[in-house]
Amino acid sequence: MNATPVTRAIRGAVIGSLALGFSVATFAMDGGPDPKAFRVCKDGNNLPFSNTAREGFEDRIAALFAKDLGLPVEDYNFPQRLGFIRNTLRFKLPDQDYPCDVVMGVPSGWGQVDATKAYYRSTYALVFPPKGALADVNTEEDFLKNEAVNTGQVRIGVFDRSPGSAWLAHHQLVDAGVPYRSMHPNPDVTPADLVATDLSNGKIAAAVVWGPLAGHLSRQAGEGTYRIVPLSSEKGVKFDYAMAMGVRRGEPEWKAKIESLIEKNQDAIAAILAEYQVPTLPIEEGGNDVAR
């Protein structure tokens, strides 16, 4: 599945911490993270999730949390690649502290971390300029019935080993697919960059991408440039995934604190996701997702 997430903020002081049901003293004694800062493990070049300028929606949510706790945000940047958790959340040198304490976006139930309750659920989506042969496409069904699509005139960008690839195979559209790497060897290049360039120059007519990336492409291109059509999971193709935040195992107070912040700030989180045009779905209670 696409690479994707991480990032931002908290509130507190002693009064705020007590209001959340925790005290700084108890938190520190239990071996949790340093309460002097809200320390985020993130990719510094991974919009729309995060970047060094803190412009991603995970950055915004981290800042929201930090403000709520009365703490500054501290970022620990590492490229979102294989080994990300090992080199961030679980990285510790002898006689030194961990460099960061929370990953702002992980799949719900992901085994590499202790995942919190989900805070949003999204789905993969079609993104395309609403013109030419695709001008009248408004739904997934419209796209699959479109004559240009079915006669091989439409090139469709998908990430390798993603639900998009499985979807093309399921609907006999493999020959129309244009594959992209989900993890580019150059950390200065993001998956969104590559797809955005090829959509704008017409190399591909449409792309199937993770929902937040779809919103990012539309938001960056400007209103009306692209149409976003959320895709529905079907037999053999899972498109929708719940996203949580990740903490280290063995830090139950810290996990509970993050979950209390999620609950307290649900409306603000929803507003941030809407601003970034992230297509969202209701969160299913009790469901675990292990990849995105």
Side-chain angles (χ1 to χ4, degrees):
M1 318 233 8
N2 294 16
T4 229
V6 199
T7 192
R8 196 160 165 206
I10 297 190
R11 171 201 188 190
V14 175
I15 295 177
S17 297
L18 290 173
L20 290 170
F22 301 95
S23 71
V24 170
T26 300
F27 183 49
M29 282 172 43
D30 287 344
D34 185 347
K36 297 183 180 67
F38 187 69
R39 305 185 307 174
V40 179
C41 317
K42 68 181 233 185
D43 187 332
N45 183 37
N46 193 29
L47 289 177
F49 308 100
S50 59
N51 68 358
T52 55
R54 297 178 178 171
E55 296 170 322
F57 70 82
E58 291 177 354
D59 290 311
R60 291 274 301 277
I61 295 169
L64 175 71
F65 285 9
K67 181 180 178 181
D68 206 13
L69 293 173
L71 299 173
V73 177
E74 288 185 6
D75 299 328
Y76 184 75
N77 296 305
F78 192 89
Q80 182 75 31
R81 299 291 187 271
L82 295 175
F84 175 78
I85 297 298
R86 182 179 68 251
N87 288 287
T88 57
L89 190 67
R90 297 206 300 252
F91 179 72
K92 191 177 188 302
L93 295 174
D95 302 321
Q96 292 189 21
D97 195 5
Y98 291 102
C100 52
D101 308 308
V102 61
V103 180
M104 297 301 293
V106 300
S108 178
W110 195 39
Q112 290 196 32
V113 300
D114 193 359
T116 66
K117 65 186 299 180
Y119 70 100
Y120 78 95
R121 188 176 195 90
S122 190
T123 186
Y124 277 71
L126 274 165
V127 184
F128 55 90
K131 61 184 181 182
L134 302 180
D136 296 329
V137 172
N138 292 290
T139 66
E140 178 180 358
E141 184 179 10
D142 290 342
F143 187 85
L144 292 173
K145 290 183 176 180
N146 182 273
E147 182 178 357
V149 172
N150 286 294
T151 54
Q153 301 174 52
V154 173
R155 303 291 283 165
I156 307 165
V158 294
F159 288 100
D160 54 354
R161 299 183 300 278
S162 74
S165 297
W167 183 73
L168 291 184
H170 187 73
H171 293 284
Q172 293 78 51
L173 294 172
V174 171
D175 290 343
V178 176
Y180 292 84
R181 294 180 179 180
S182 57
M183 290 185 286
H184 198 278
N186 182 353
D188 294 329
V189 176
T190 71
D193 293 335
L194 302 175
V195 174
T197 298
D198 288 351
L199 271 175
S200 65
N201 64 24
K203 181 178 178 180
I204 56 176
V208 179
V209 296
W210 173 231
L213 282 180
H216 178 65
L217 292 171
S218 176
R219 190 167 178 251
Q220 294 298 103
E223 185 176 357
T225 303
Y226 296 131
R227 183 169 294 159
I228 298 176
V229 175
L231 297 169
S232 299
S233 295
E234 55 191 76
K235 186 176 181 180
V237 182
K238 181 171 175 59
F239 276 132
D240 59 295
Y241 292 87
M243 300 305 296
M245 298 180 191
V247 301
R248 283 180 291 275
R249 298 189 182 281
E251 297 180 349
E253 273 82 11
W254 178 231
K255 179 181 178 181
K257 184 183 288 257
I258 296 296
E259 290 188 326
S260 70
L261 289 164
I262 291 172
E263 292 181 9
K264 181 179 180 182
N265 291 284
Q266 284 181 341
D267 291 344
I269 291 170
I272 291 170
L273 293 172
E275 180 182 341
Y276 282 74
Q277 299 182 30
V278 177
T280 57
L281 301 171
I283 297 173
E284 299 173 359
E285 295 297 330
N288 285 340
D289 295 327
V290 295
R292 115 169 153 186

